[in-house]
Amino acid sequence: MKTAITEMFDIRHPILNAGMGRIAYPEMVIAVCNAGGLGVYGAGSNPPERVREDIRRIRAATDRPFGINAPLALPNALENVKIALDEQVPVINYSMGRGDWIVKRAHAYGGKVMASVNSVKLALSAQKHGADAVIAAGHEAAGHAGDIPTFVLVPRLAELLDIPIIAAGGVANGSGLIGALALGAEGVSMGTRMLLTNEGVVHDNFKQRAVESDVDRTLFSNKFDGHMCRVLNTPGPERIYKGKQTLNPLSVFLQSFAIARELDQPYLKMFSNVLRKGPKETFAMMRMARMLKMGTIARDTGDLDHGQCGAGMSVGLVHDVPSIAEVIERVVAEAEESFGRLATLMEREVVATASAAAGRGTPRAVA
């Protein structure tokens, strides 16, 4: 399967893993790369020196191209992007900020840049700033999805953009891949499906709950971290969603010392950076701190009552926890099957049209 994305990134299959923060670690990236897709490392707010070590670890384990993702509004993100540029990572994915400076530096060494977007405005801005492709995250997606569903966002962007589109949100199998290509995308980015694999680092308790969940078992709200965000419906985020658990500033303040250590940031630097953003952003950062703690619980202890795990609506399409290699092999096989079914339907239509035309005496050359 050759698309603009497979050609641009030199990969066998037009499949990426979402660069999920604190989820898409080297094991996931390496597995996706070796299975023929583009592995994307979730740098996020990771400590910069860890990011540098992880980049080198990925490079040592695979000779395939890989990417790195960093939402620019997060702590450490700017430093992490600069490290990726210094290390000449083949593909850099950014969001939540302006990326023209990233494009300029990446293109200087032959790298490519993707921008994650969830609206027409952001997509056009990314193209204007020189991005080589966009990841269009539909409303169905996990994490910071937008208001427009994938089925509408992707074809609209295909009408407007001159750069390739990668569809994200609602894609978890081969029919989703074929559907995305039919809508005008050149590839897909899968988060929930890649999370629920052997290489996904979330605790088995959350994996099992996700596998048991249907398509309506997610929550979408700005109450979790201050931005509209989709997570798996488990007791902890459900209490927040329903307003039964309010933000406790004292608790967040006490947690902030541990967060500074985890981010490898001097506490006073982190504290002053947060305060400089003003009351509204400070409150949003407090929510994000709570979400960070709940995510750590979901990853390390599996406490369903207090943890929180991102998940898209496609969670209802995931029914097992295989390896990433198995997932990609399965998605490709399913895509071939779906394409074959469509080809058969089209062939039947052509035959029926030709037969009807012949019955009316239409010249067979036209039929």
Side-chain angles (χ1 to χ4, degrees), residues 349-365:
E349 180 65 21
V350 169
V351 170
T353 302
S355 298
R360 293 193 301 269
T362 305
R364 294 187 63 81

Side-chain angles (χ1 to χ4, degrees), residues 207-218:
K207 289 182 182 179
Q208 185 60 37
R209 175 61 65 90
V211 168
E212 295 169 353
S213 298
D214 213 326
V215 295
D216 60 351
R217 297 301 293 166
T218 65

Side-chain angles (χ1 to χ4, degrees), residues 14 67 95-96 124 151 156 163 169 178 242 274 295 297 313 366:
S95 62
M96 301 174 75
L124 290 173
F151 207 85
R156 178 56 179 151
I163 57 178
I178 292 298
K242 293 182 176 179
V274 170
I297 291 171
M313 291 182 179
V366 175

Side-chain angles (χ1 to χ4, degrees), residues 13-69:
H13 309 305
I15 299 171
L16 291 67
N17 70 277
M20 301 166 281
R22 301 175 181 273
I23 297 293
Y25 284 133
E27 293 79 5
M28 178 176 289
V29 177
I30 294 164
V32 173
C33 290
N34 289 340
L38 182 74
V40 182
Y41 171 70
S45 58
N46 289 347
E49 282 312 306
R50 173 171 183 171
V51 170
R52 190 184 299 276
E53 291 172 6
D54 284 348
I55 290 171
R56 294 177 178 179
R57 181 180 167 194
I58 293 167
R59 188 163 266 148
T62 180
D63 60 355
R64 306 305 305 150
F66 66 97
I68 184 172
N69 177 43

Side-chain angles (χ1 to χ4, degrees), residues 140-222:
E140 304 92 326
H144 298 114
D147 296 325
I148 309 170
T150 304
F151 207 85
V152 176
L153 180 61
V154 170
R156 178 56 179 151
L157 294 186
E159 292 179 339
L160 297 172
L161 300 184
D162 298 319
I163 57 178
I165 302 159
I166 300 163
V171 181
N173 52 34
S175 60
L177 170 57
I178 292 298
L181 297 179
L183 292 174
E186 300 289 339
V188 297
S189 174
M190 299 191 296
T192 303
R193 174 64 278 191
M194 294 299 190
L195 167 68
L196 302 176
T197 60
N198 295 337
E199 291 85 354
V201 298
V202 70
H203 195 278
D204 286 346
N205 290 353
F206 279 86
K207 289 182 182 179
Q208 185 60 37
R209 175 61 65 90
V211 168
E212 295 169 353
S213 298
D214 213 326
V215 295
D216 60 351
R217 297 301 293 166
T218 65
L219 299 170
F220 188 60
S221 175
N222 63 358

